[in-house]
Amino acid sequence: MHAQEISINRFLSSNDTKFIIPVYQRNYDWEIAQCIKLFDDIIEVGKDTRSYGHFIGSIVYVHDDIYRTASTNELTVIDGQQRLTTITLLYIAIYNYALDKKDEALSTKINETYLINKFLEDKEKLKLRPTENNDKALKYLLRKDGFETYNEYSKIIENYNYFRENINDSNINTVLDGLAKLMFVEISLDRQKDDPQKIFESLNSTGLELTQADLIRNYILMRLNNTEQCEIYNNYWSPIENKTKDLQSKKSLLSNFMRDFFTLKNKKIPNIKNVYQEFKKNYPTSDLTTLKENLTEIKKYAEMYYKIINPSIEEDKEIRKGLSDINTLEINVSYPFLMQVYLNYFEKIIDRKEFLGILETIQSFVWRRFILGIGTNNLNKIFMTLHSDIVKQLENCNNNYLKALEFVLLAKKGNQRFPTDKELIYTLKEKDMYNIKPTNKKYMFEKLENYNNKEIVDTNSEDITIEHIFPRNPISQWYNLLSEEDYKNFEEIYLHTIANLTLSGNNNSLSNKTFIEKRDMNKDNGEQGYKYSRLWLNRFIKEQDTWDINVFEQRFELISNRFLEIWKYPQAPIVTIKSNNDVNIFDISETMGEKIEYVIYFDEKKYFRSLGELYDNLISKLYNENKEIFHNDELKERLQIEPNNDKQRRGVKLDNNLYYEANVNNNQFVNRMKYLLSLFKYDEEIFIKWESNKDIQDNLFS
């Protein structure tokens, strides 16, 4: 590696040299704001007669790369393309300024010194060769090769336009003086001696804003020769990039996709900031054939991911609606699971009916949990292992994937459970469904209104708003029309609940009027009242003569029944099981002297001789995970932790001056482990298999 300080003009004026931006580099993405800052710096340094230079960073390239030809020294730029491309755009702006001013001397100097290699025999004379789209934009700006129009959006064009609009007669000389003073560190690598990938990673660690996807792309392509790079990029990586874009926001979700992919494959959720390291761990540098095999698998899942994040491209109307509903609910944690299910459907392992049932079951599971207010922190763990859990139950469920899904979800306990009808109705009656997240509100009313409707109503129209039947600010007549108890119940308990809410295209007109006025309003023949509405949500209301708690109760029963029809609780499948199933430690109420056969311990099958040995292992693991929490007074009291073991019957050393009591009975071991697991928010990490041999046929959830 060789490094030296050099002026940008001297670097760009090198004869017979091309600066190649390889396909693995990220796109040119400087914004106008960065161009403004650079241009202002150039003007400032150009005006400062005492300044001899202005540092703008570094440019790193491989000087002996596979691009070298007999007539041209082609340098592969691995870092610095953003600055190099922007400076080139500025020179093109000066060149076109000179052409417009008919300043032949200046235009020739700029063109032949900084933009092209005049005497090269190659057709491609431009010194900078960016990636394909940027290359087209540069040629258009230089008015070469027949590019008369350029209709695509490009930051190359946008940034050039800024420079061209701001270069004028009054500042052209200052700009040229400023450019002559720009300095950077030129770092030249020798592929035989230096490892470009490691240097690239080192540069990234110092603060360059590269995404995890950028790092993965470079890791895959940087070690390949030019032909291999183009093949892998065009046939594999570029399709993967394109299939992980949100079509609506135009945003790349490649890093998110890779995290979801590894979650599915490894049943562990990597941190979004560690996806690159996860990729290197799972796919170490390999031969070209293995690389293609690995990327073929990733590409296959990317195609499924593309439809999940962009439901509009799915041709099947019902599947499209199911995916869209899941996205509205923002169940992003289900994506690893959905990718596998979608692939199974695509490969005809499961049929359309099963797939639709799976999409509905996911919605029911998540929506019911939302109604009950169960935290979402358990969902990622559930979906992380859901596919593998289903596979284990397929044989028991006659190879029906949907039934196996229902079986697995219904077997969840505690904070991972599938809420029952009774739980749902009990909570729903008094739950505030008005002050919830707008997307959830949108989802709920759309589903309620259009369930089994032949004529679909656009509940998201700006003309339709949510109406409180008993108003938020009722006029005095409401108090006179209702009993004191009913009025108080509406005001304090039921105001924002689902049975007091409806949809209306005339919310402003109905406002806080009495119920009869709201029902019958027909001002200027505008048919604003409930009785003129065609909505299902108003069908019951328009037939009523009053709105009191009795009528409210009747409407709640109608809506709650519709809730149960839309967001169904699965029928418990009858399966053949063994009575010695793995038991979640939270489901153990009392031990009866059973012997442990094995333990599923944080997704690993382990063998502990006793509950005491399991407890010792768990407390050590959690202590190393978070030592600070073990100094909590409540925890120390529950676990009998002391600074020494003088008062303990069997004190086990946890750390210096820290001992815990280990002479307790089995039930105490279990309760203490439950306490620790709850404190660390681990609900599904310890399953115990007791020694037993009986087989039974049972309906688990009857």
Side-chain angles (χ1 to χ4, degrees):
M1 180 171 69
H2 175 72
Q4 66 174 347
E5 187 179 273
I6 189 173
S7 72
I8 192 72
N9 280 0
R10 182 180 168 193
F11 185 70
L12 288 174
S13 63
S14 302
N15 292 325
D16 302 335
T17 298
K18 285 188 177 182
F19 307 104
I20 310 298
I21 309 298
V23 293
Y24 57 76
Q25 283 280 26
R26 61 178 174 176
N27 195 36
Y28 175 72
D29 59 7
W30 262 34
E31 304 286 348
I32 289 291
Q34 292 162 294
C35 294
I36 292 173
K37 177 67 169 62
L38 176 64
F39 192 71
D40 288 347
D41 288 347
I42 290 171
I43 292 291
E44 183 178 351
V45 75
K47 289 179 178 178
D48 188 353
T49 57
R50 296 171 297 176
S51 174
Y52 292 96
H54 179 72
F55 181 69
I56 61 168
S58 62
I59 294 178
V60 185
Y61 62 86
V62 182
H63 71 79
D64 62 338
D65 210 354
I66 35 74
Y67 291 104
R68 179 185 291 274
T69 65
S71 60
T72 313
N73 183 26
E74 298 191 343
L75 310 180
T76 306
V77 179
I78 67 170
D79 183 62
Q81 71 136 326
Q82 306 290 328
R83 292 183 295 276
L84 189 58
T85 303
T86 305
I87 295 296
T88 299
L89 290 178
L90 184 49
Y91 272 121
I92 294 175
I94 295 171
Y95 168 68
N96 284 328
Y97 163 85
L99 289 180
D100 292 341
K101 292 294 180 179
K102 297 185 171 27
D103 187 339
E104 186 176 347
L106 179 59
S107 64
T108 300
K109 177 184 177 182
I110 296 297
N111 188 41
E112 296 181 4
T113 306
Y114 306 119
L115 300 178
I116 69 167
N117 287 304
K118 179 181 179 181
F119 298 107
L120 281 185
E121 296 178 0
D122 300 4
K123 180 181 178 182
E124 299 289 341
K125 295 182 182 295
L126 280 177
K127 289 190 174 184
L128 178 66
R129 192 175 82 192
T131 52
E132 186 176 353
N133 289 339
N134 294 332
D135 191 42
K136 291 178 182 178
L138 277 183
K139 290 174 180 175
Y140 165 72
L141 294 176
L142 284 164
R143 305 173 186 177
K144 294 179 180 295
D145 298 329
F147 284 91
E148 296 179 0
T149 59
Y150 196 88
N151 298 322
E152 302 173 31
Y153 171 77
S154 168
K155 287 187 176 178
I156 291 276
I157 304 294
E158 186 175 47
N159 293 348
Y160 162 82
N161 287 336
Y162 166 76
F163 290 132
R164 183 64 191 88
E165 290 166 4
N166 285 276
I167 293 173
N168 51 54
D169 295 348
S170 65
N171 67 12
I172 182 63
N173 290 326
T174 304
V175 172
L176 290 170
D177 289 342
L179 278 168
K181 295 177 182 179
L182 294 187
M183 307 291 293
F184 68 95
V185 174
E186 170 193 27
I187 302 176
S188 171
L189 305 181
D190 183 337
R191 185 172 289 276
Q192 303 304 315
K193 301 176 182 178
D194 304 312
D195 187 335
Q197 176 64 26
K198 286 188 176 180
I199 292 172
F200 180 83
E201 290 179 20
S202 175
L203 288 166
N204 185 61
S205 69
T206 63
L208 298 181
E209 295 181 1
L210 292 172
T211 67
Q212 296 294 294
D214 291 329
L215 292 167
I216 293 171
R217 181 182 62 242
N218 289 14
Y219 173 74
I220 290 170
L221 298 171
M222 191 174 280
R223 289 184 172 89
L224 304 178
N225 63 43
N226 187 33
T227 302
E228 292 170 342
Q229 280 182 12
C230 291
E231 179 187 3
I232 295 298
Y233 181 79
N234 292 327
N235 296 336
Y236 298 94
W237 189 256
S238 182
I240 291 170
E241 284 187 326
N242 291 332
K243 294 296 184 182
T244 52
K245 284 182 181 175
D246 184 324
L247 292 177
Q248 191 169 4
S249 67
K250 309 297 182 186
K251 181 181 177 182
S252 172
L253 298 178
L254 182 52
S255 297
N256 301 67
F257 161 72
M258 294 305 305
R259 178 186 59 186
D260 290 339
F261 175 76
F262 286 124
T263 298
L264 173 64
K265 301 300 288 184
N266 300 330
K267 302 178 187 62
K268 291 183 180 179
I269 306 170
N271 188 298
I272 190 70
K273 296 179 181 178
N274 297 329
V275 169
Y276 169 54
Q277 296 301 329
E278 194 72 22
F279 189 94
K280 288 206 301 180
K281 183 173 71 176
N282 283 270
Y283 299 113
T285 305
S286 56
D287 59 86
L288 191 61
T289 300
T290 305
L291 176 60
K292 288 179 180 179
E293 291 173 356
N294 293 336
L295 291 178
T296 296
E297 180 185 33
I298 295 172
K299 180 180 173 183
K300 184 168 59 175
Y301 281 98
E303 289 170 352
M304 303 302 108
Y305 188 81
Y306 191 53
K307 291 186 177 183
I308 293 169
I309 62 174
N310 301 296
S312 60
I313 66 172
E314 169 57 58
E315 295 180 1
D316 188 296
K317 183 178 178 181
E318 291 184 75
I319 293 175
R320 181 168 66 244
K321 182 66 172 67
L323 293 171
S324 180
D325 286 340
I326 285 172
N327 284 343
T328 299
L329 281 176
E330 299 178 355
I331 317 175
N332 299 5
V333 293
S334 70
Y335 289 177
F337 171 68
L338 283 178
M339 283 194 294
Q340 185 62 60
V341 176
Y342 219 140
L343 184 61
N344 288 354
Y345 168 66
F346 181 77
E347 294 178 342
K348 303 188 185 312
I349 296 172
I350 63 175
D351 60 28
R352 178 177 178 273
K353 184 178 180 181
E354 275 185 285
F355 189 30
L356 287 171
I358 290 165
L359 297 178
E360 290 176 1
T361 301
I362 290 174
Q363 290 179 63
S364 295
F365 178 62
V366 173
W367 183 246
R368 282 173 175 245
R369 289 168 59 84
F370 167 75
I371 299 297
L372 264 65
I374 300 175
T376 59
N377 57 326
N378 286 303
L379 285 176
N380 54 5
K381 286 188 177 182
I382 293 172
F383 284 109
M384 175 179 72
T385 61
L386 190 52
H387 173 67
S388 58
D389 292 341
I390 290 168
V391 170
K392 293 175 186 176
Q393 300 300 335
L394 279 175
E395 186 177 351
N396 293 329
C397 297
N398 297 319
N399 289 318
N400 185 302
Y401 197 99
L402 176 57
K403 289 299 179 186
L405 167 65
E406 294 172 344
F407 175 83
V408 169
L409 291 181
L410 288 174
K412 301 291 183 184
K413 303 294 183 183
N415 287 337
Q416 294 198 346
R417 72 186 184 280
F418 201 129
T420 64
D421 290 351
K422 185 176 180 180
E423 287 181 293
L424 179 69
I425 299 308
Y426 178 81
T427 306
L428 181 64
K429 186 173 183 179
E430 296 185 9
K431 186 175 178 67
D432 183 341
M433 298 302 291
Y434 182 72
N435 295 300
I436 62 176
K437 192 161 56 172
T439 50
N440 286 357
K441 207 157 34 175
K442 164 188 169 183
Y443 169 82
M444 176 182 69
F445 280 108
E446 192 278 329
K447 299 288 279 187
L448 279 174
E449 178 57 39
N450 288 315
Y451 177 68
N452 282 344
N453 275 6
K454 293 181 179 179
E455 184 178 349
I456 300 299
V457 178
D458 181 11
T459 58
N460 298 314
S461 167
E462 293 180 359
D463 297 329
I464 296 180
T465 56
I466 298 172
E467 153 80 359
H468 287 74
I469 303 171
F470 176 89
R472 284 176 289 177
N473 298 296
I475 58 176
S476 59
Q477 286 92 322
W478 274 97
Y479 190 81
N480 299 326
L481 291 167
L482 295 172
S483 69
E484 183 176 348
E485 184 180 2
D486 280 7
Y487 189 93
K488 186 177 180 181
N489 282 334
F490 274 127
E491 193 172 48
E492 297 181 2
I493 303 174
Y494 299 125
L495 178 62
H496 298 310
T497 62
I498 187 61
N500 190 54
L501 300 175
T502 189
L503 295 177
S504 171
N506 302 283
N507 187 281
N508 291 334
S509 301
L510 301 176
S511 187
N512 58 354
K513 295 178 173 57
T514 65
F515 177 75
I516 295 299
E517 288 176 306
K518 288 185 175 191
R519 187 194 67 182
D520 298 339
M521 183 177 288
N522 190 23
K523 185 178 179 181
D524 299 326
N525 295 318
E527 298 185 344
Q528 298 93 345
Y530 298 142
K531 77 178 190 179
Y532 302 105
S533 174
R534 293 180 296 167
L535 300 181
W536 179 88
L537 282 163
N538 293 323
R539 193 176 298 171
F540 170 81
I541 305 172
K542 65 185 180 182
E543 296 174 352
Q544 306 309 309
D545 295 322
T546 187
W547 186 251
D548 56 21
I549 292 299
N550 180 51
V551 179
F552 167 88
E553 296 271 7
Q554 294 177 50
R555 185 168 187 257
F556 176 72
E557 185 177 359
L558 283 172
I559 290 179
S560 61
N561 287 336
R562 197 166 176 93
F563 250 79
L564 299 182
E565 290 175 15
I566 298 170
W567 295 286
K568 295 181 176 66
Y569 187 78
Q571 294 295 313
I574 297 177
V575 297
T576 302
I577 61 172
K578 292 185 178 180
S579 62
N580 55 1
N581 273 351
D582 305 338
V583 180
N584 189 318
I585 193 168
F586 284 95
D587 295 329
I588 299 173
S589 57
E590 185 177 5
T591 62
M592 304 297 292
E594 302 97 330
K595 291 183 179 180
I596 297 174
E597 184 173 329
Y598 62 78
V599 178
I600 303 299
Y601 184 73
F602 291 85
D603 295 328
E604 291 185 45
K605 188 174 184 179
K606 292 197 171 187
Y607 298 91
F608 296 100
R609 290 168 296 180
S610 65
L611 287 169
E613 185 179 358
L614 172 59
Y615 177 66
D616 289 341
N617 196 288
L618 177 65
I619 200 171
S620 176
K621 173 183 172 61
L622 297 182
Y623 180 73
N624 290 325
E625 197 171 301
N626 186 346
K627 294 182 180 181
E628 184 178 354
I629 202 169
F630 277 80
H631 292 275
N632 176 287
D633 289 340
E634 182 187 349
L635 183 146
K636 289 164 75 173
E637 183 179 348
R638 293 283 291 269
L639 271 57
Q640 295 176 258
I641 293 178
E642 301 287 348
N644 56 64
N645 61 355
D646 294 345
K647 300 177 182 179
Q648 296 172 325
R649 289 174 291 177
R650 187 170 77 85
V652 176
K653 187 175 182 179
L654 191 57
D655 206 339
N656 293 331
N657 300 319
L658 214 58
Y659 296 81
Y660 66 91
E661 178 61 73
N663 187 11
V664 297
N665 62 43
N666 281 345
N667 288 323
Q668 288 173 309
F669 279 134
V670 169
N671 289 332
R672 293 182 185 196
M673 283 191 279
K674 288 180 182 179
Y675 171 75
L676 279 171
L677 291 167
S678 297
L679 199 62
F680 278 78
K681 300 190 186 308
Y682 287 136
D683 293 326
E684 297 277 314
E685 302 300 347
I686 295 183
F687 292 82
I688 297 175
K689 170 83 176 304
W690 305 112
E691 287 188 357
S692 177
N693 295 309
K694 289 192 305 177
D695 289 340
I696 61 172
Q697 176 97 359
D698 194 12
N699 184 331
L700 286 182
F701 313 105
S702 58

